[in-house]
């Protein structure tokens, strides 16, 4: 794991996932009422951790393509800002963020980097990021789900979030999930091959993008620097309708929407791009992996026009009935 991150073994704490690692890193640095600067498109796990610590949060906006400007982060700083949080790659869009430039620009304020989505897709070296702490998650690199890691540089061990035992050098109490951690280590050993495979993943993603673009009304979201992510919507079609239609064909897409109180909340990330709620509800995401084959891409492209036409007809029918 340490080698895969460019770190030393003693700098890593294994956790139950990135959510826990983010909570530990935030609790380590932020006292109630303190000010934190975070990009508007951080993962809900980060915002949840900040809320849990009663942090006062300034969200730095992104542009319509999901890009973030270093100077906007700097402008959000206050004299006593305790932490800046910036993800290395956006999980719904695939954009990479300038973590090193932001870390340098906000120093000496520490930067917490959610590197979950970048890990295994692009080369990652936590020291080169210039951050004070970074988190990664096993399931993004082919490890069993339910394991993550928090990296902090030597000499700055994070305070335990879970107390009551000496495990992880006193930085995380509780019996370690050894099978998952071993799986994480094995997946990390395979990382060079996974990264090599990303060249083919990027080519397939581009073929998918070009194929989807042939259907009228398809709009792409973000500026995906990652090789595997393709976020899009189809005018006049609810993301959930298309997601279910593909699901019945055995193809898994993500909608980025969350069910709450019986309704569908649009993705906060798409809202941060400036889309209105109705448009954002159209959001869908295809994620490719090293296992995704050319035949998988062909199948999706063959299904797409038919399923879009069906979903459009159903939406028009529903409107006519209303
Ligand atoms: N951060 C990002 C960018 C993610 O995509 C995810 C989820 O996959 C998380 C954090 C939370 O990770 P975990 O599920 O390991 O808690």
């Amino acid at each position: 794991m340490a080698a895969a991150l460019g770190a030393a073994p003693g700098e890593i704490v294994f956790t139950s996932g990135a959510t826990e690692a983010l909570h530990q890193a935030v609790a380590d640095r932020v006292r109630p009422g303190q000010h934190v600067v975070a990009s508007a498109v951080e993962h809900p796990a980060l915002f949840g951790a900040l809320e849990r610590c009663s942090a006062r949060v300034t969200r730095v906006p992104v542009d319509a393509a999901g890009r973030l400007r270093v100077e906007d982060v700097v402008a959000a700083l206050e004299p006593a800002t305790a932490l800046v949080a910036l993800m290395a790659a956006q999980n719904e869009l695939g954009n990479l963020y300038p973590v090193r430039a932001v870390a340098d620009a906000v120093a000496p304020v520490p930067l917490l980097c959610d590197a979950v989505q970048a890990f295994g897709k692009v080369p990652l070296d936590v020291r080169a990021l210039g951050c004070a702490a970074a988190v990664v998650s096993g399931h993004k690199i082919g490890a069993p789900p339910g394991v993550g890691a928090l990296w902090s540089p030597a000499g700055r061990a994070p305070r335990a979030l879970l107390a009551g035992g000496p495990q992880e050098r006193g930085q995380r109490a509780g019996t370690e999930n050894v099978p998952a951690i071993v799986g994480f280590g094995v997946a990390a050993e395979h990382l060079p091959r996974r990264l090599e495979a990303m060249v083919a993943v990027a080519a397939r993603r581009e073929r998918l993008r070009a194929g989807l673009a042939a259907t009228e009304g398809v709009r792409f979201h973000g500026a995906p620097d990652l090789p595997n992510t393709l976020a899009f919507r189809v005018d006049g079609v609810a993301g959930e309708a298309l997601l279910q239609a593909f699901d019945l064909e055995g193809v898994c897409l993500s909608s980025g929407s969350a069910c709450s109180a019986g309704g569908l909340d649009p993705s906060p990330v798409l809202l941060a791009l400036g889309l209105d709620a109705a448009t954002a509800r159209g959001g869908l995401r295809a994620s490719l992996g090293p296992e995704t084959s050319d035949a998988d891409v062909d199948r999706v492209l063959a299904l797409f026009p038919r399923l879009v036409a069906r979903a459009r007809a159903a939406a028009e029918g529903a409107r006519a009935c209303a």
Side-chain angles (χ1 to χ4, degrees):
M1 270 301 299
L5 289 169
E11 299 172 341
I12 290 169
V13 176
F14 288 106
T15 63
S16 64
T19 300
E20 183 192 322
L22 286 168
H23 277 69
Q24 181 167 359
V26 167
D28 183 43
R29 299 270 181 181
V30 183
R31 302 277 81 79
Q34 280 190 319
H35 182 244
V36 174
V37 174
S39 87
V41 293
E42 294 297 307
H43 192 272
L46 186 269
F47 289 121
L50 293 174
E51 202 180 314
R52 188 49 67 84
C53 285
S54 304
R56 214 161 38 76
V57 183
T58 300
R59 297 185 185 216
V60 180
V62 294
D63 69 12
R67 286 180 293 245
L68 176 117
R69 294 180 340 150
V70 178
E71 51 270 40
D72 289 342
V73 183
V74 174
L77 292 175
E78 293 181 4
T81 300
L83 184 70
V84 171
L86 179 61
M87 60 201 335
Q90 216 297 319
N91 48 301
E92 291 184 38
L93 305 173
N95 291 42
L96 283 174
Y97 291 118
V99 176
R100 177 77 214 204
V102 170
D104 288 347
V106 303
V109 180
L111 186 143
L112 166 61
C113 179
D114 174 344
V116 167
Q117 205 60 226
F119 194 39
K121 317 265 176 21
V122 292
L124 189 74
D125 180 324
V126 283
R127 272 188 234 291
L129 288 177
C131 58
V135 311
V136 291
S137 180
H139 68 270
K140 301 292 185 199
I141 65 161
V147 63
L150 168 60
W151 170 83
S152 315
R156 184 57 180 79
R159 204 157 44 98
L161 183 67
L162 305 178
Q167 292 90 350
E168 297 296 293
R169 303 172 305 281
Q171 292 160 51
R172 200 244 186 205
T175 304
E176 302 88 345
N177 183 356
V178 174
I181 292 171
V182 170
F184 203 3
V186 173
E189 272 169 21
H190 284 76
L191 220 56
R193 257 186 287 158
R194 198 175 181 86
L195 287 170
E196 271 169 39
M198 287 299 148
V199 177
V201 170
R204 290 193 181 105
R205 194 270 310 271
E206 281 314 302
R207 200 158 67 78
L208 183 63
R209 185 214 291 263
L212 296 187
T215 294
E216 206 198 312
V218 173
R219 322 257 169 226
F220 295 100
H221 298 147
D225 306 297
L226 291 186
N228 70 313
T229 311
L230 188 61
F232 63 97
R233 70 176 190 273
V234 188
D235 287 346
V237 178
E240 204 59 26
L242 211 48
L243 182 136
Q244 283 174 16
F246 268 104
D247 188 52
L248 291 174
E249 299 286 348
V251 177
C252 300
L253 295 173
S254 301
S255 73
S257 311
C259 293
S260 70
L264 278 177
D265 285 341
S267 152
V269 172
L270 297 184
L271 295 179
L273 302 187
L275 301 186
D276 61 43
T279 308
R281 278 196 191 89
L284 283 169
R285 176 167 39 112
S287 302
L288 288 74
E291 306 82 5
T292 312
S293 66
D294 282 326
D296 292 332
V297 174
D298 290 340
R299 179 137 190 280
V300 170
L301 291 178
L303 286 167
F304 192 69
R306 182 159 56 84
L307 298 188
V308 166
R310 208 202 288 160
R312 272 205 179 116
E316 272 158 29
R319 268 195 292 277
C321 288

